[in-house]
Amino acid sequence: MSAGGVGTPKSLPSSGPKSLQDMPHPLAGPSSEDVAGGELTPSPDLQLPCSVADKDLSLPNGGTPAGTSSPASSSSLLNRLQLDDDLDGETRDLFVTVDDPKKHVCTMETYITYRVTTKTSRIEFDLPEYSVRRRYQDFDWLRNKLEESQPTHLIPPLPEKFVVKGVVDRFSEEFVETRRKALDKFLKRIADHPVLSFNEHFNVFLTAKDLNTYKKQGMALLSKVGESVKYVTGGYKLRSRPLEFAAMGEYLDMFALKLGTIDRIAQRIIKEEVEYLVELREYGPVYSTWGGLEVELEEPLEGVSACIGNCCTALEDLTDDMTEDFLPVLREYILYSESMKTVLKKRDQVQGEYEAKLEAVALKKEERPKVPADVEKCQDRVECFNADLKADMERWQNNKRQDFRQLLMGMADKNIQYYEKVIIRLINT
């Protein structure tokens, strides 16, 4: 949105009508602390029969670093910054891009589609390259399917669907381009994930020419973990979160609160800059008019007018950068934190079920009761949640560190460029 909507939006082509920083990765062997005692154990006041108490019902905790990718930046400051977290491009075997938005005008509705291009060497795909067109609701379908079939994993967020009518034109070139970038990032995050990228629904989304056929069939082929988690009722109350996950929840609450504050302040700054820009555009021509009336002052007054015009251009560029680059990243990570908290709540629910079933076994009068299979299965689900949640948290922290490093360095560079443009014009004047 140019200068916050000062100009007329362009039209689209139409087709016609612990410390979290020290958190280990769960794919490695357990640490010495984990061997000494698991993260999740029965409550101290819960007395178990000896055979149950002797059985290892604790959960593993450990891991190795997860690899992440970092997008390149053209910013001069970022070019001087050596990122040490880049993922070697040769190790990737799935590349997805979203581009070429097109407007479709039909009798009943008007909507935008995007071209999704896939290049891969994976044997799960019949061809090395695919190109399909998808609309926003198709991306939404994919995310819902990923949540159903991979409930223990963090699913990347989508950009918000609804906009305020009359305030934002959802068919303007600026809005569509901002959404395209967000959808492209959404698919790239899934493609880089070691588990989500192999999901059957993701494969269908990337390859099927007619996705509506699969939607109608209701492809609800959930994984075993997905099925078990889906049918867990909300009647189990968690005694207490393990310290590590309690710290994770507190961090996410604080992170979302801080980002929300930054987002609100940034929007106020942009609004004030847009209002200032309107005044500045009316201010500059006054000096040109004045110069036409006084020949002796014409040259210096024209210089002032030109300087103000240059300031207008520089400020408009800076405002566009804030609107198109800065705000979307803030909002994505606010949504990301909400997604992570949702997975954390699911994990708590499964742990609550596990504790309730374990307590039921402990209350049995048998001297050496056998641990029921459903208790062991529930324990497996909690272990799976713990491992996947910690792995995804580690990946998310790595991505966040890289994204915000690039974002803040890039915005600093844009501000430097803004003041350089203004100063150079003042010196020349």
Side-chain angles (χ1 to χ4, degrees), residues 142-160:
L142 171 62
R143 191 177 190 283
N144 289 334
K145 287 301 180 183
L146 290 176
E147 280 193 328
E148 289 178 2
S149 56
Q150 311 283 173
T152 64
H153 283 286
L154 171 64
I155 311 301
L158 280 172
E160 289 129 324

Side-chain angles (χ1 to χ4, degrees), residues 48 60 85 199 239 268 274 302 313 357 359 371 406 410:
L48 297 179
D85 301 309
N199 185 276
R239 289 191 180 86
R268 286 204 303 269
V274 170
E302 286 291 345
T313 302
K357 290 184 176 181
E359 183 175 7
V371 178
Q406 290 186 334

Side-chain angles (χ1 to χ4, degrees), residues 189-241:
R189 293 202 190 280
I190 297 174
D192 289 340
H193 196 281
V195 177
L196 300 180
S197 63
F198 288 93
N199 185 276
E200 180 180 0
H201 302 298
F202 187 47
N203 185 306
V204 168
F205 177 88
L206 297 177
T207 61
K209 287 295 182 182
D210 184 12
L211 191 61
N212 289 327
T213 302
Y214 292 89
K215 290 182 179 180
K216 292 176 182 177
Q217 290 175 354
M219 287 184 59
L221 301 177
L222 303 178
S223 65
K224 291 183 178 180
V225 174
E227 279 186 334
S228 60
V229 172
K230 184 178 180 181
Y231 295 109
V232 170
T233 64
Y236 299 103
K237 185 177 181 181
L238 182 67
R239 289 191 180 86
S240 63
R241 275 180 179 168

Side-chain angles (χ1 to χ4, degrees), residues 48-53 361-362 364-372:
L48 297 179
C50 56
S51 63
V52 178
V361 174
K364 289 185 177 180
K365 300 302 182 181
E366 303 175 31
E367 184 178 350
R368 299 182 63 86
K370 181 181 179 181
V371 178

Side-chain angles (χ1 to χ4, degrees), residues 253-375:
D253 289 337
M254 177 274 297
F255 179 74
L257 179 63
K258 297 299 183 185
L259 277 195
T261 302
I262 295 174
D263 180 61
R264 288 191 299 273
I265 294 175
Q267 290 190 62
R268 286 204 303 269
I269 291 174
I270 292 174
K271 181 176 180 293
E272 292 172 0
E273 287 179 344
V274 170
E275 293 172 349
Y276 173 62
L277 186 57
V278 172
E279 299 293 336
L280 209 57
R281 282 175 172 162
E282 296 178 358
Y283 183 55
V286 173
Y287 289 92
S288 295
T289 304
W290 184 7
L293 299 176
E294 299 193 41
V295 179
E296 299 82 358
L297 299 176
E298 182 176 5
E299 184 176 349
L301 290 175
E302 286 291 345
V304 173
S305 178
C307 181
I308 294 174
N310 185 74
C311 291
C312 286
T313 302
L315 182 59
E316 183 175 3
D317 292 340
L318 181 64
T319 304
D320 287 344
D321 290 330
M322 286 278 289
T323 303
E324 297 170 9
D325 298 330
F326 189 73
L327 291 183
V329 175
L330 294 182
R331 289 165 184 164
E332 182 200 14
Y333 272 92
I334 291 174
L335 295 174
Y336 238 136
S337 63
E338 294 301 319
S339 298
M340 181 67 84
K341 285 191 280 188
T342 298
V343 180
L344 193 58
K345 289 178 182 178
K346 291 179 182 178
R347 181 220 161 271
D348 291 346
Q349 191 175 46
V350 175
Q351 182 186 337
E353 179 191 15
Y354 168 68
E355 291 179 348
K357 290 184 176 181
L358 200 61
E359 183 175 7
V361 174
L363 294 176
K364 289 185 177 180
K365 300 302 182 181
E366 303 175 31
E367 184 178 350
R368 299 182 63 86
K370 181 181 179 181
V371 178
D374 64 329
V375 176

